[in-house]
Amino acid sequence: QVQLVQSGAEVKKPGASVEVSCKASGFTFTDYYIHWVRQAPGQGLEWMGWVNPNSGGTNYAQRFQGRVTMTRDTSINTAYLELSRLRSDDTAVYYCAREDTDMVTFPKTAPNDYWGQGTLVTVSS
Amino acid sequence: DIVMTQSPDSLAVSLGERATINCKSSQSVLYAFNNKNYLSWFQQRPGQPPKLLIYWASTRESGVPDRFSGSGSGTDFTLTISSLQAEDVAVYYCQQYYNTPRTFGQGTKVEIK
């Protein structure tokens, strides 16, 4: 069955960096973009960007440009989110989610159909 | 960026009654090539990740109960729960995936009256 399993909770100090992983199973990793979405405590959902596991190409939300890096390791079917220069308002649950790249079934783009369980990142001094 | 606005922010509905949530986008999410609206609805229960309910504005994801339905086109969309069940208590989000950045509505909290 399709699964996206994320790494465990992190506590970081302001100014530090954090890396969250998302391990995929049950589907062909290189056939799906991996998106990252975050949710601050009690707040809504915020899209951060995606990585194309096939090419390594990325597309980041402008507000995170310069602070975010999304990568992948196809040998272990895992995508990574790194966020640097952390601030207290980066405290959030970070989710990965997949998007089908089949342009016949989904011309232009596809919805995010499966999500990881989420990783809580707490930024506190 | 496309701004997504949901209404209401919260609603309380009796068990077995209808719940209706609206979502408006600041620009059309209708793709003329295939005449599809690039609009999803998600359900998020407390402590859980979002779950895809509806995509292309009205296509139910596999396994989603048929009491959930989506409608609308262009800039105005609706999610309807025809007969509210206890397990439907959650926050519901619309999302446009017409272009990036993908944007979400602020969420609508559904409770039991």
Side-chain angles (χ1 to χ4, degrees), chain A residues 37-123:
Chain A
V37 174
R38 75 178 187 179
Q39 186 171 38
Q43 301 302 307
L45 300 163
E46 181 177 30
W47 182 83
M48 301 180 69
W50 56 248
V51 58
N52 178 346
N54 191 38
S55 67
T58 55
N59 183 343
Y60 303 146
Q62 189 160 8
R63 66 166 294 186
F64 297 106
Q65 292 273 3
R67 281 209 305 143
V68 71
T69 306
M70 297 177 189
T71 58
R72 89 294 187 219
D73 184 340
T74 56
S75 69
I76 55 172
N77 290 350
T78 300
Y80 300 92
L81 166 72
E82 182 181 23
L83 190 61
S84 63
R85 303 195 300 278
L86 289 168
R87 308 185 294 255
S88 58
D89 62 357
D90 291 318
T91 293
V93 176
Y94 289 75
Y95 294 103
C96 61
R98 73 171 195 173
E99 174 199 348
D100 196 336
T101 60
D102 179 356
M103 284 288 139
V104 175
T105 305
F106 295 105
K108 186 171 171 56
T109 61
N112 298 117
D113 59 352
Y114 281 87
W115 294 59
Q117 83 276 18
T119 297
L120 175 62
V121 175
T122 302
V123 183

Side-chain angles (χ1 to χ4, degrees), chain B residues 3-6 22-26 75-77 94:
Chain B
V3 177
M4 308 299 290
T5 304
Q6 291 181 227
N22 300 301
C23 174
K24 189 175 185 66
S25 58
S26 61
T75 61
D76 291 278
F77 302 92
C94 61

Side-chain angles (χ1 to χ4, degrees), chain A residues 35 37 39 43-47 50 59 61 95 99 105-118, chain B residues 31 33-34 38 40 42 44 47-52 55-56 61 93 95 97-106:
Chain A
H35 293 239
V37 174
Q39 186 171 38
Q43 301 302 307
L45 300 163
E46 181 177 30
W47 182 83
W50 56 248
N59 183 343
Y95 294 103
E99 174 199 348
T105 305
F106 295 105
K108 186 171 171 56
T109 61
N112 298 117
D113 59 352
Y114 281 87
W115 294 59
Q117 83 276 18
Chain B
Y31 186 40
F33 174 78
N34 59 0
Y38 282 63
S40 294
F42 292 92
Q44 188 177 33
Q48 296 294 312
K51 174 187 174 184
L52 178 66
Y55 60 96
W56 282 338
E61 175 72 335
Y93 295 92
Q95 181 209 39
Y97 54 103
Y98 183 84
N99 60 16
T100 57
R102 295 192 174 197
T103 47
F104 295 86
Q106 78 276 17

